[in-house]
Amino acid sequence: MRLSGRVLPYVSVIAVVLLAVGLIWGFFFTPDDFRQGASVKIIYVHVPLAFLAINIYFMMFVTSLIWLIRRHHVSALAAKAAAPIGAVFTLAALISGALWGSTTWGTYWQWDPTLTSFLIMFIFYIGYSALWGAVDEPDKAADLTSILCLIGSVFAVLSRYAVNFWSQGIHQGASLSLDKEENVSDVFWLPLVTVMAGVFFLFLTLLLIRTRTEIRNRRITALQAREIS
Amino acid sequence: MMPELGRYAFSVLGSWGSSIGLVLMITLISIYRAKASKAALEALEKNRKGK
């Protein structure tokens, strides 16, 4: 708690600065794409949120595994704290993706493998949080939600890699790659990476705030239980 | 200053507006819940020390 309290102000300031620079740069100072026109500006919100939405699920997968193997309470609480953030990022990516699709594909939605696995991942996020709320006993809730998280990770993997190997869908390939040839042009790439870094630090900020809240809530429950007994 | 969005104005502004709105919502809820839990814990600990 002490370390996270010390780190939190720095992480949140970095998030605000990177997001402000990246979003202003992307919206006001980048040109239109020769094919997509001004709709390319959606990339600066859709790609970072979708990227983080998938990676938050992977983080939850790791912390759930740690809970199941080592019974480390903070790891279970970190996964619980991350789920609503992941759900909101996924929903925002779904909405921005649908609006982008309406201009580039002529439809808001299609049962494309990438889109469908992303939607199922969103449902897993909602189910995961609902399960935490439905089970009163904290350790049992952590066990059940961790197992649910492990099952749902299949769809996170599909969402992440379907853009690369599932060529029959309408969703285009990944916008960012380690291979420079496959990347979007530098004029879009630089502000995009800045926003992605900003969204990552925003996630860290929210994760720290929410995990600290979960730890405090645990302590409140323990103190109240002690007073009753 | 405002870029010319033309026929893409609805999709671009809708995407940015909904995304920023949702992210702001989760941020404000997280901060509010953090403040509420901190206050509740402090009150409880103060109560215990007073006993």
Side-chain angles (χ1 to χ4, degrees), chain A:
Chain A
M1 285 288 270
R2 208 172 296 160
L3 177 69
S4 64
R6 229 177 283 164
V7 169
L8 191 54
Y10 299 105
V11 176
S12 53
V13 167
I14 294 170
V16 170
V17 170
L18 286 173
L19 280 174
V21 170
L23 289 174
I24 291 169
W25 186 358
F27 192 82
F28 294 104
F29 302 106
T30 53
D32 292 351
D33 180 61
F34 75 99
R35 253 183 312 200
Q36 298 190 40
S39 73
V40 75
K41 293 190 190 298
I42 298 172
I43 201 172
Y44 304 110
V45 288
H46 176 74
V47 171
L49 290 170
F51 180 79
L52 257 292
I54 294 167
N55 284 295
I56 290 169
Y57 206 98
F58 289 142
M59 174 242 137
M60 286 168 58
F61 173 84
V62 173
T63 50
S64 296
L65 264 185
I66 293 171
W67 164 254
L68 289 173
I69 296 166
R70 301 293 302 267
R71 315 301 284 179
H72 196 291
H73 282 91
V74 176
S75 65
L77 292 179
K80 184 186 180 187
I85 311 168
V88 165
F89 283 14
T90 310
L91 180 62
L94 280 168
I95 294 171
S96 57
L99 287 165
W100 201 1
S102 73
T103 63
T104 52
W105 307 329
T107 177
Y108 286 99
W109 183 262
Q110 203 174 69
W111 294 102
D112 164 278
T114 310
L115 275 64
T116 308
S117 52
F118 202 72
L119 178 66
I120 296 172
M121 190 181 76
F122 175 64
I123 294 166
F124 266 92
Y125 268 127
I126 301 294
Y128 178 91
S129 293
L131 191 55
W132 262 109
V135 183
D136 289 333
E137 214 276 292
D139 283 4
K140 194 177 175 189
D143 284 340
L144 293 173
T145 51
S146 295
I147 292 164
L148 185 69
C149 179
L150 299 191
I151 297 166
S153 62
V154 173
F155 297 98
V157 172
L158 276 180
S159 301
R160 170 66 186 85
Y161 293 105
V163 289
N164 297 339
F165 66 76
W166 228 319
S167 55
Q168 72 265 40
I170 58 169
H171 197 286
Q172 68 271 26
S175 304
L176 294 172
S177 163
L178 292 175
D179 181 357
K180 205 169 161 33
E181 289 293 306
E182 289 179 22
N183 266 334
V184 291
S185 142
D186 277 358
V187 75
F188 304 117
W189 187 83
L190 288 169
L192 178 59
V193 169
T194 310
V195 179
M196 286 180 88
V199 175
F200 171 73
F201 278 97
L202 175 69
F203 165 66
L204 271 187
T205 305
L206 293 176
L207 181 68
L208 287 173
I209 292 172
R210 296 183 71 91
T211 307
R212 286 162 60 86
T213 304
E214 292 298 338
I215 293 169
R216 273 197 212 105
N217 287 344
R218 259 307 153 90
R219 175 127 178 89
I220 290 169
T221 313
L223 286 175
Q224 283 170 341
R226 211 178 294 168
E227 277 187 7
I228 290 167
S229 62

Side-chain angles (χ1 to χ4, degrees), chain B residues 5-34:
Chain B
L5 300 174
R7 65 193 181 96
Y8 300 114
F10 172 73
S11 349
V12 174
L13 296 178
S15 301
W16 278 64
S18 58
S19 300
I20 291 172
L22 283 166
V23 168
L24 267 181
M25 183 195 76
I26 187 81
T27 306
L28 293 177
I29 289 172
S30 303
I31 293 169
Y32 172 77
R33 285 191 62 226

